[in-house]
Amino acid sequence: MIIKPEISGVIARSAHPLGCEKAILNQIDYVKHARPITNGPKRVLIIGASSGFGLAARIALTFGGAQADTIGVSFERGPSDKGVGSAGFYNNLYFREHAQNEGRIAINIDGDAFSTQTKESVIEAIETYFEGEVDLIIYSVASGLRPNYQTGEMWRSAIKPIGQAVAGASVSLEHDQWLESTLEPATEQEIDGTLKVMGGEDWEAWVDTLINSESIAEGCKTVAFSYIGSDLTHPIYLDGTLGRAKVDLHQTSHALNLKLANFSGGAYASVCKALVTKASVFIPGLTPYLIALYKVMKQNGTHEGCIEQMQRLFTTKLYGCDKVPVDGERLIRIDDLELNPETQAQVHQLVESMNANNFQKLGDYAGLKQEFMQLNGFGLAGIDYNKKVDIQNIISKYNCLADSLL
């Protein structure tokens, strides 16, 4: 079948398998030629490994100098009569293939990261493939829902301001259209739900589970990804429900740091740069800021994608230095280039000038849209998108790779 891009609002309804593989190969090529990770971890668990920062971290640690073996947890949709499946499904497939080709262990566990059953499957995999211990735990879960498996309740996140309504613009990636809207403030139930889904509770549950199963190696670290951003995004992000959840995540890092101190390890929240990911495109008001930020940082030669951010995190922050550098709140700041004062001044000026008639001309909307398409395997050089794709052959390869690990 010939696979074409399908977008509904900001959601990709299709993915191109060969494009997903090409995107993986491009990232592998980058880290192989970048500054290598030194004294890195060898046995890594990535919770949320199929896209964005989680996938980039997995690629960097496997191919970027550390030569790590990995277990990746994700909840993805494979091909069926309803569609070709999600990009994350193919990312997992092709990552594992190329990691195994270089002699690395790469275990994919498909399941809800919030469930006890998934945690038990990971413990079993650690016992089987990692001699019972992990050296690094990466928490990179982006979800809008979290089931409460004890009560059957479903917690839901809401991306809203707190206290008062906020007016702003967003962009429909489906229609390339600037949209003005007003977001009403969140209810207490929505604030609590967002905290449950996006806060630090499940991260702590994962680490506690690993401690209780004696799966923590000496010197083990854990890191979760966060965002603070510019004052341009604070009303909807930092001062809203998402910001409240991120504060909880930061506080969780302190509690986990005390627990991992018993293993001569540590826990950190890493504040990353604003980027196009499957999660970030849902945040109202962020897209105009991203369009301006991309334009300015590319002009200044400081733009980084997920893979550049992760390679820099592991070479200059978490590993390769005597002490992990943190700010006054014990946060790793990998958003330093974004928040450079001169960069922000230029971004402010650009955002103030943009509107529905000129945003594509003034900002880097084309670059943002291209990154979004590439997240789903489209728009990559070297792929013939008019050529039929044999999905069944890909599934056969998937099954063969799975069997090779048994």
Side-chain angles (χ1 to χ4, degrees), residues 55-75:
L55 174 62
R58 196 178 191 188
I59 292 171
L61 290 164
T62 300
F63 300 98
Q67 296 183 321
D69 295 325
T70 62
I71 297 171
V73 178
S74 59
F75 205 16

Side-chain angles (χ1 to χ4, degrees), residues 39-307:
N39 300 318
K42 297 300 182 184
R43 300 164 297 181
V44 180
L45 169 64
I46 304 102
I47 306 155
S50 58
S51 64
F53 287 117
L55 174 62
R58 196 178 191 188
I59 292 171
L61 290 164
T62 300
F63 300 98
Q67 296 183 321
D69 295 325
T70 62
I71 297 171
V73 178
S74 59
F75 205 16
E76 294 295 341
R77 183 181 70 257
S80 68
D81 54 0
K82 295 182 180 180
V84 298
S86 64
F89 173 86
Y90 296 107
N91 290 340
N92 288 337
L93 170 64
Y94 287 114
F95 170 83
R96 180 172 58 190
E97 178 184 0
H98 292 289
Q100 289 181 354
N101 287 344
E102 297 205 8
R104 302 268 61 83
I105 295 172
I107 308 302
N108 294 329
I109 294 179
D110 181 55
D112 180 6
F114 299 120
S115 79
T116 300
Q117 181 179 355
T118 300
K119 292 178 174 67
E120 290 173 351
S121 296
V122 167
I123 296 300
E124 183 179 348
I126 291 171
E127 289 290 335
T128 303
Y129 299 104
F130 284 0
E131 299 178 336
E133 294 181 336
V134 292
D135 305 309
L136 174 65
I137 307 153
I138 296 171
Y139 191 84
S140 183
V141 175
S143 175
L145 300 171
R146 178 185 172 190
N148 183 334
Y149 287 97
Q150 279 69 48
T151 66
E153 178 188 4
M154 185 70 75
W155 291 304
R156 300 176 185 275
S157 63
I159 305 172
K160 289 186 175 183
I162 293 176
Q164 60 184 4
V166 172
S170 59
V171 176
S172 168
L173 296 172
E174 178 183 3
H175 302 293
D176 302 322
Q177 184 179 4
W178 181 279
L179 304 172
E180 296 285 352
S181 62
T182 299
L183 284 176
E184 296 301 320
T187 65
E188 286 301 319
Q189 182 179 4
E190 288 172 326
I191 294 171
D192 293 341
T194 307
L195 201 67
K196 284 290 187 181
V197 177
M198 297 185 174
E201 187 174 77
D202 186 59
W203 180 24
E204 186 165 17
W206 270 99
V207 175
D208 285 345
T209 298
L210 293 167
I211 290 174
N212 292 336
S213 65
E214 299 182 347
S215 301
I216 300 292
E218 189 72 11
C220 178
K221 297 176 183 177
T222 185
V223 62
F225 302 126
S226 185
Y227 182 67
I228 292 176
S230 160
D231 58 358
L232 287 167
T233 64
H234 286 179
I236 188 58
Y237 197 101
L238 185 63
D239 300 333
T241 54
L242 284 176
R244 185 74 63 86
K246 292 306 182 184
V247 168
D248 184 73
L249 189 79
H250 301 167
Q251 292 173 343
T252 299
S253 74
H254 305 324
L256 293 179
N257 194 56
L258 293 175
K259 294 180 181 182
L260 290 183
N262 295 321
F263 303 88
S264 301
Y268 306 92
S270 177
V271 183
C272 300
K273 170 183 181 286
L275 285 169
V276 178
T277 66
K278 291 183 178 181
S280 70
V281 293
F282 281 94
I283 303 173
L286 184 63
T287 306
Y289 173 75
L290 282 169
I291 294 169
L293 182 70
Y294 275 37
K295 181 68 172 285
V296 171
M297 295 191 76
K298 286 180 180 179
Q299 287 179 339
N300 295 343
T302 56
H303 177 70
E304 292 177 321
C306 289
I307 194 64

